[in-house]
Amino acid sequence: MTMAITEELFTVEGSAHGPYAAIPVPDSWGPYDPISVTRDIAERIVHDLMTCDAGCDLTAAWEGSNLVFTRDDERSEIIRPQPDGRYRIGGLWPWAPWETARQKAVQALTEWGITAHDDEDAGRSWLIIGWDQSAARFPHMLAEPYMVLYLYNDADDDLTITRPPVQGDRWHVVAGDGTGVERTLTTYQAGHLDECVTAIAEWVTDPLPTAGAPMPTAGAVLLAALTQRGITVHTDWVGMSYAVPLDSATPAPTVRDRPHLSVADRNCSIDHAAADHTGWTVFLHGESGNPIGDPLYIAGDGAPINCAADSTMTAEFIANLLNRAG
């Protein structure tokens, strides 16, 4: 009985070279251990080495069926074909498993117990996460809420999950309401997948949204977090900010003329969509109601961030501040 050969994908560590289909040779494989490749793959490696300087001071050439690597004009290693015709290449630079954005995302979601589905009709360019995690099937996107997770690189206009994340990529989390309406919930740089997965985990554990219902405002998310902590909140009725009195007994009509905290998005709003939230700011106001100095708290860098996570942190900050003031 012949065992089927299971190949994996490798790249030169820290580079964009590859991926190369190969078999890791030792039972306990490490970056400088050899990988076993076919002649075609070995020729690809040589081409990358010669054209992209993948191996720094190394060059390579074929001498018949042998592959010769040379370092600083001195012969350093001869790779001869194995009986099966494959070449074992290792010890010259570190190899790394080629892990796609999809693999990273699926692993991170699985750790939360969340199932994601490939959208075959879209060429597996993104993952689809259904709100109902008890259903193993692909979600009915025109009948029930769902989320979409993918990488996007603005410079290359590249939307994908089929390659490893690279500099300039941003994760995008898009929420669909089940009627064909989609909105971006949050985006993060490629190295912040965990924040995206946390946002998805919070979403799938929320009560089921009604298909077609309006997306919650950022102010509603913050108000819920503040109310949960017993914090008295007053609106300005024009959707620009909340006021939190330092003395909870302050009459509502005079709150903004007395010492208080004001809370608003960086864009001076509380009625914007949670998906468009860019970070809460908290200012201290004195006896006359005028702001004092710089913000006590400010989140984000101007790009959309996770509204739920930011609202929780802001509410905790305000609760601790009021406790110290009291």
Side-chain angles (χ1 to χ4, degrees):
M1 177 177 176
T2 302
M3 295 290 291
I5 297 176
T6 302
E7 291 187 321
E8 302 175 18
L9 295 177
F10 293 84
T11 185
V12 177
E13 186 176 275
S15 81
H17 305 302
Y20 308 114
I23 304 170
V25 176
D27 293 334
S28 179
W29 184 83
Y32 283 94
D33 289 328
I35 59 174
S36 173
V37 301
T38 64
R39 170 72 184 243
D40 288 343
I41 297 298
E43 289 178 352
R44 277 191 58 203
I45 294 172
V46 170
H47 176 269
D48 290 347
L49 177 66
M50 300 303 294
T51 61
C52 304
D53 197 27
C56 298
D57 56 347
L58 278 170
T59 58
W62 291 97
E63 293 184 0
S65 61
N66 296 333
L67 176 55
V68 181
F69 289 96
T70 305
R71 189 186 304 275
D72 294 334
D73 297 327
E74 294 182 5
R75 181 169 294 185
S76 57
E77 186 166 350
I78 301 175
I79 309 295
R80 295 179 173 85
Q82 300 295 303
D84 59 4
R86 301 174 71 92
Y87 293 81
R88 296 186 176 187
I89 302 174
L92 301 169
W93 54 73
W95 295 111
W98 197 75
E99 188 175 23
T100 65
R102 179 194 179 279
Q103 290 172 300
K104 291 176 180 288
V106 168
Q107 180 179 351
L109 289 165
T110 301
E111 290 174 358
W112 282 84
I114 298 172
T115 300
H117 304 270
D118 292 307
D119 192 343
E120 301 290 350
D121 292 339
R124 299 166 64 97
S125 296
W126 49 64
L127 291 172
I128 303 294
I129 301 100
W131 182 88
D132 183 5
Q133 284 291 299
S134 66
R137 56 169 173 75
F138 191 93
H140 299 302
M141 298 171 67
L142 292 178
E144 58 187 294
Y146 61 91
M147 279 195 171
V148 184
L149 176 64
Y150 59 85
L151 275 180
Y152 181 71
N153 192 300
D154 185 66
D156 300 329
D157 192 25
D158 182 27
L159 188 158
T160 186
I161 54 170
T162 60
R163 57 163 175 77
V166 298
Q167 186 175 1
D169 285 345
R170 291 189 70 89
W171 288 104
H172 286 246
V173 180
V174 176
D177 69 354
T179 69
V181 177
E182 294 184 341
R183 297 191 67 170
T184 299
L185 178 67
T186 190
T187 70
Y188 281 98
Q189 293 180 352
H192 293 268
L193 173 61
D194 287 347
E195 285 87 340
C196 290
V197 173
T198 299
I200 294 170
E202 292 174 350
W203 177 78
V204 299
T205 56
D206 281 344
L208 178 62
T210 302
M215 298 289 186
T217 65
V221 177
L222 175 62
L223 182 60
L226 292 167
T227 302
Q228 185 179 21
R229 290 160 178 79
I231 298 172
T232 302
V233 182
H234 301 270
T235 183
D236 58 8
W237 305 111
V238 294
M240 292 185 65
S241 67
Y242 286 131
V244 179
L246 297 187
D247 181 355
S248 60
T250 303
T254 64
V255 165
R256 293 182 183 271
D257 298 323
R258 301 290 304 279
H260 70 279
L261 304 173
S262 65
V263 190
D265 184 76
R266 283 172 168 266
N267 296 321
C268 297
S269 169
I270 56 174
D271 282 349
H272 55 286
D276 299 328
H277 180 62
T278 59
W280 295 117
T281 59
V282 179
F283 279 92
L284 174 64
H285 297 251
E287 288 293 340
S288 63
N290 293 325
I292 301 174
D294 295 328
L296 300 179
Y297 176 93
I298 187 166
D301 58 5
I305 65 174
N306 186 333
C307 182
D310 184 31
S311 295
T312 297
M313 293 180 64
T314 303
E316 285 290 339
F317 173 83
I318 292 173
N320 292 334
L321 190 64
L322 293 177
N323 287 337
R324 292 198 299 270

